[in-house]
Amino acid sequence: MAPRCWRWWYWTAWPRTRPPPAGCTLSVRQQFSTQEQTPQICVVGSGPAGFYTAQHLLKHHPRAHVDIFEKQLVPFGLVRFGVAPDHPEVKNVINTFTQTAHSDRCAFHGNVVVGRDVTVPELREAYHAVVLSYGAEDHQALGIPGEELPGVFSARAFVGWYNGLPENRELAPDLSCDTAVILGQGNVALDVARILLTPPEHLEKTDITEAALGVLRQSRVKTVWIVGRRGPLQVAFTIKELREMIQLPGTRPILDPADFLGLQDRIKEVPRPRKRLTELLLRTATEKPGAEEAARQASASRTWGLRFFRSPQQVLPSPDGRQVAGIRLAVTRLEGVGDTTRAVPTGDVEDLPCGLVLSSVGYKSRPIDYSVPFDPKLGVIPNMEGRVVDVPGLYCSGWVKRGPTGVIATTMTDSFLTGQMLLQDLKAGLLPSGPRPGYVAIEALLSSRGVRPVSFSDWEKLDAEEVSRGQGTGKPREKLLDPQEMLRLLGR
């Protein structure tokens, strides 16, 4: 029988150690298939960066095996612990990650702290390549007097508290005050403001924790100020989050028209997304609302406002020094143009009374292991397109690669690029040759150290328990908060 084509004949009859016949080109997958070994790849972190990196590797290499290590007992990182509970559509990406985890060439190992339970050098010894995708698990400190006072929290911890991050489950914020101040004007700041001001009954059918919902039901916070060092043209939030705030039931916005003087002419040349965002701010600040909107605002019992050109100088204590009572803000003005615009103090200050301060000035990555280069100023692992500088076979993706910026789609593109670089290096013979033991070696190390990892099927048992607990109150799930309870449910 005549062969159907050169390529078919080559793959069925030609010895694979020989080059392909002239004129026969191979696909990327077929090129990789000529390698007899199975590339063993390790990904550290199971948030969007970790799963998107794994997804790309599995899709574009037919033999690669990927092990995903995670310090939490449960997967999905900021999709589970960062995305606001009233944004369930953003969490649908979990379905894609679950498909990846179900691949017979992928394995999830939770409850493993890389850098403590196992080192990066040990991982590098066991795998052909290691990808660090562990995100930004710290926050930028304000670095001002009074930051340590009770009543001052990082927005990251506050988000972790209402989203069920185990390490933040005992945060216990006191919401008995009238006014809260959020420092920072990004999407996280607006998420936090929205959760503080949303009528609790609107959150009852979300996956917010019952403990947080109970505290929010008792909240007396009526006013939230969202403070930024620069002006309306420099805000970091997006138009979707701004619209949600403007339309938030039971609230009305407070914007000072003076902050927008001369802005109409200046926005003509800015990129379209920034222009649309600024136009919405401008309309909200300067235009008289229609009759229906005016009536809605008149009946509102809660308010929120954007304070521009203000930089935190000091958290002010109560008379007994045991609680936050306000914040001292330096009045600023802008210098420079475009991306070089910076806020400089004018010398004036003002005190803003409040009983709660939430710092939302940025997330920050931590160094994971002594052997991994780390730039403490930028809070990233030094890299070239995901290849860790001066450490062959070590890669990074997501926030630890580029800094805590962008949305999930940004991380997807970034992680695919890292996966692409890794596969290029594999194809070029730049990664270790010969077989590597992969998880077999790491499992033995962990066992000898008394560490018992959690598998993806274990997570699915916990997932089923959460869903079951939520059904009684009409919630999609009631998140498990206590790692010890999770282990007990798994029979540990």
Side-chain angles (χ1 to χ4, degrees):
M1 183 180 72
R4 285 171 286 182
C5 67
W6 272 105
R7 186 172 293 168
W8 176 86
W9 179 81
Y10 172 72
W11 288 111
T12 55
W14 198 268
R16 294 195 181 186
T17 55
R18 301 184 192 177
C24 180
T25 58
L26 306 179
S27 70
V28 171
R29 293 176 67 86
Q30 288 167 329
Q31 290 176 49
F32 282 127
S33 295
T34 64
Q35 300 178 24
E36 293 303 324
Q37 70 183 28
T38 296
Q40 297 286 344
I41 302 168
C42 159
V43 173
V44 179
S46 69
F51 265 107
Y52 279 130
T53 302
Q55 178 185 323
H56 186 90
L57 295 170
L58 294 167
K59 179 179 179 181
H60 294 281
H61 194 299
R63 288 171 168 267
H65 183 93
V66 180
D67 287 317
I68 302 175
F69 289 90
E70 168 60 53
K71 73 171 189 174
Q72 303 290 341
L73 274 76
V74 298
F76 310 132
L78 280 184
V79 179
R80 176 179 169 97
F81 297 123
V83 174
D86 57 348
H87 286 174
E89 71 286 352
V90 181
K91 303 186 186 192
N92 289 337
V93 71
I94 284 176
N95 298 328
T96 303
F97 298 162
T98 298
Q99 288 178 4
T100 299
H102 282 161
S103 165
D104 58 5
R105 293 186 289 120
C106 184
F108 170 81
H109 309 288
N111 198 33
V112 178
V113 181
V114 173
R116 185 194 70 187
D117 299 333
V118 61
T119 67
V120 172
E122 287 169 337
L123 292 176
R124 294 183 62 215
E125 189 70 27
Y127 291 88
H128 291 98
V130 174
V131 186
L132 302 174
S133 310
Y134 60 87
E137 52 190 350
D138 207 349
H139 68 279
Q140 295 281 3
L142 291 171
I144 61 174
E147 187 174 6
E148 74 291 340
L149 281 169
V152 181
F153 302 96
S154 72
R156 186 193 185 286
F158 191 78
V159 169
W161 167 71
Y162 64 65
N163 269 334
L165 184 60
E167 68 193 57
N168 298 132
R169 69 186 187 276
E170 295 178 358
L171 197 72
D174 182 356
L175 305 186
S176 63
C177 59
D178 177 80
T179 302
V181 169
I182 302 171
L183 301 171
Q185 293 183 333
N187 279 344
V188 174
L190 262 58
D191 278 349
V192 168
R194 194 177 66 253
I195 295 298
L196 279 171
L197 294 175
T198 295
E201 60 270 21
H202 289 221
L203 296 172
E204 288 174 349
K205 303 304 179 186
T206 74
D207 67 357
I208 192 170
T209 69
E210 194 57 42
L213 193 56
V215 173
L216 289 167
R217 286 192 183 105
Q218 303 300 316
S219 171
R220 297 179 188 173
V221 175
K222 300 297 181 188
T223 302
V224 176
W225 290 108
I226 305 161
V227 178
R229 293 177 295 115
R230 299 189 290 174
L233 267 177
Q234 289 80 36
V235 296
F237 51 72
T238 53
I239 195 167
K240 176 182 180 289
E241 278 68 24
L242 177 61
R243 281 203 194 99
E244 286 181 314
M245 285 301 297
I246 292 170
Q247 297 165 2
L248 192 61
T251 71
R252 62 183 176 87
I254 305 172
L255 298 176
D256 185 351
D259 289 333
F260 296 84
L261 291 175
L263 213 57
Q264 190 72 58
D265 294 330
R266 291 164 57 200
I267 62 175
K268 291 177 181 176
E269 305 302 322
V270 301
R272 188 169 180 269
R274 171 68 64 182
K275 183 179 179 183
R276 291 174 60 235
L277 172 62
T278 311
E279 285 173 342
L280 179 56
L281 281 169
L282 196 57
R283 288 196 302 272
T284 306
T286 60
E287 293 182 6
K288 186 177 179 180
E292 185 178 339
E293 177 63 13
R296 188 189 75 81
Q297 291 187 14
S299 65
S301 60
R302 297 179 173 186
T303 59
W304 63 273
L306 294 167
R307 299 291 286 267
F308 298 108
F309 311 110
R310 302 291 186 272
S311 180
Q313 266 198 339
Q314 179 184 355
V315 180
L316 303 173
S318 56
D320 61 8
R322 299 174 63 181
Q323 178 69 25
V324 58
I327 187 156
R328 180 158 295 158
L329 302 170
V331 180
T332 64
R333 59 181 171 81
L334 297 184
E335 284 187 356
V337 292
D339 293 339
T340 64
T341 303
R342 62 191 187 97
V344 296
T346 64
D348 294 332
V349 298
E350 65 179 33
D351 292 347
L352 186 58
C354 63
L356 177 68
V357 173
L358 295 166
S359 168
S360 185
V361 295
Y363 285 29
K364 184 173 71 173
S365 294
R366 299 173 182 162
I368 192 171
D369 188 291
Y370 70 92
S371 69
V372 179
F374 191 79
D375 184 331
K377 187 174 181 182
L378 297 178
V380 297
I381 294 172
N383 70 92
M384 298 289 288
E385 295 185 309
R387 298 178 175 100
V388 175
V389 174
D390 296 329
V391 191
L394 189 61
Y395 302 81
C396 56
S397 66
W399 282 3
V400 77
K401 168 185 173 184
R402 71 178 191 277
T405 60
V407 294
I408 290 176
T410 321
T411 295
M412 177 182 72
T413 305
D414 166 280
S415 302
F416 286 176
L417 178 61
T418 292
Q420 186 181 334
M421 295 302 104
L422 191 159
L423 292 178
Q424 281 183 14
D425 292 350
L426 181 64
K427 179 183 169 187
L430 299 177
L431 298 183
S433 59
R436 288 286 171 108
Y439 186 64
V440 172
I442 301 303
E443 184 178 30
L445 278 177
L446 294 174
S447 177
S448 71
R449 293 164 186 171
V451 179
R452 298 183 65 186
V454 168
S455 68
F456 200 79
S457 62
D458 287 334
W459 148 245
E460 290 181 318
K461 294 172 187 173
L462 299 176
D463 177 44
E465 176 67 20
E466 290 186 347
V467 171
S468 174
R469 292 186 183 192
Q471 284 175 341
T473 52
K475 298 176 68 174
R477 68 178 61 246
E478 186 58 51
K479 289 178 181 173
L480 296 163
L481 308 181
D482 182 359
Q484 294 306 313
E485 182 186 9
M486 296 185 207
L487 291 172
R488 282 197 300 273
L489 289 167
L490 296 174
R492 304 285 177 89

